[in-house]
Amino acid sequence: MKARRITVGDRTWTVRVDGPDTRHSVLLLPDASDPVDVFDQVCARLHNSDLRTIVVEAPEGFDKAAAHAILDELGVPYANVAGRGTGAALAWQVCAGTYGRFSSLVVADRGHPAAPGADGTVADAACRPMELPVTVLVTKHLPRSVADGSGRFVYGEFRVVDVDVDNVATEADHEFATEIVLRTSLW
């Protein structure tokens, strides 16, 4: 994958961009502890499905403004978003609100920030609901009840998929890629 550095304000982000030059792109956000190549297998599968991939290498401090600026710099008018772990938490925040720049969301390991977690705490009660199609992958780090509880914060089509793994990007790359492809298709 081709690494590219994009400056947004006083921060420089390294993004890895690859795949066919089509109008269908997927912004991938990894967990904070993931190596830079964690999504390589997922990306290879997405490229075979005619999807361009944009992977943010270190998502700490990433927000909606950074997502918009990076997509603008790359000439991407709209994108599908996918993430795992802390990247999934960021993905919920980036896609929150009215339908527009982001077409779909696929997350693993995290429920909607306004939904109570497994311990009953709410990460961000102010996080707006989603107005786009969302798929939540239930892993060993996300109980089914938390994923199901996220559904009330999704005003688009909502789907929950059980995948009994620790790291969906490396242990179930085929399932993660399939769910992303399903969300990028209009059928």
Side-chain angles (χ1 to χ4, degrees), residues 162-183:
D162 292 297
V163 183
D164 190 30
V165 296
D166 283 314
N167 184 333
V168 71
T170 58
E171 297 172 61
D173 57 282
H174 58 289
E175 183 72 36
F176 195 42
T178 297
E179 295 303 328
I180 294 168
V181 169
L182 287 172
R183 281 291 175 217

Side-chain angles (χ1 to χ4, degrees), residues 87-135:
L90 290 169
W92 283 110
Q93 296 286 346
V94 165
C95 293
T98 58
Y99 185 78
R101 185 82 188 248
F102 305 104
S103 305
S104 69
L105 175 63
V106 177
V107 293
D109 306 326
R110 297 289 193 281
H112 188 281
D119 61 358
T121 61
V122 173
D124 182 4
C127 185
R128 295 177 63 189
M130 308 292 120
E131 292 187 12
L132 52 102
V134 175
T135 299

Side-chain angles (χ1 to χ4, degrees), residues 20-182:
D21 190 17
T22 69
R23 58 189 187 109
H24 300 286
S25 298
V26 180
L27 175 65
L28 292 146
L29 303 172
D31 189 46
S33 62
D34 282 342
V36 297
D37 64 348
V38 70
F39 287 127
D40 282 2
Q41 292 172 317
V42 173
C43 289
R45 292 176 183 278
L46 296 176
H47 300 160
N48 287 337
S49 294
D50 206 29
L51 297 169
R52 182 180 184 197
T53 56
I54 303 159
V55 181
V56 178
E57 285 190 0
E60 297 85 23
F62 193 78
D63 60 11
K64 194 171 206 158
H68 283 273
I70 287 170
L71 294 176
D72 287 345
E73 180 71 24
L74 296 171
V76 176
Y78 62 91
N80 301 279
V81 180
R84 71 164 229 96
T86 55
L90 290 169
W92 283 110
Q93 296 286 346
V94 165
C95 293
T98 58
Y99 185 78
R101 185 82 188 248
F102 305 104
S103 305
S104 69
L105 175 63
V106 177
V107 293
D109 306 326
R110 297 289 193 281
H112 188 281
D119 61 358
T121 61
V122 173
D124 182 4
C127 185
R128 295 177 63 189
M130 308 292 120
E131 292 187 12
L132 52 102
V134 175
T135 299
V136 178
L137 282 86
V138 174
T139 64
K140 292 180 180 177
H141 303 288
L142 179 68
R144 175 73 189 228
S145 61
V146 174
D148 289 338
S150 297
R152 64 181 245 210
F153 298 97
V154 177
Y155 298 163
E157 197 271 325
F158 181 69
R159 177 177 147 95
V160 176
V161 177
D162 292 297
V163 183
D164 190 30
V165 296
D166 283 314
N167 184 333
V168 71
T170 58
E171 297 172 61
D173 57 282
H174 58 289
E175 183 72 36
F176 195 42
T178 297
E179 295 303 328
I180 294 168
V181 169
L182 287 172

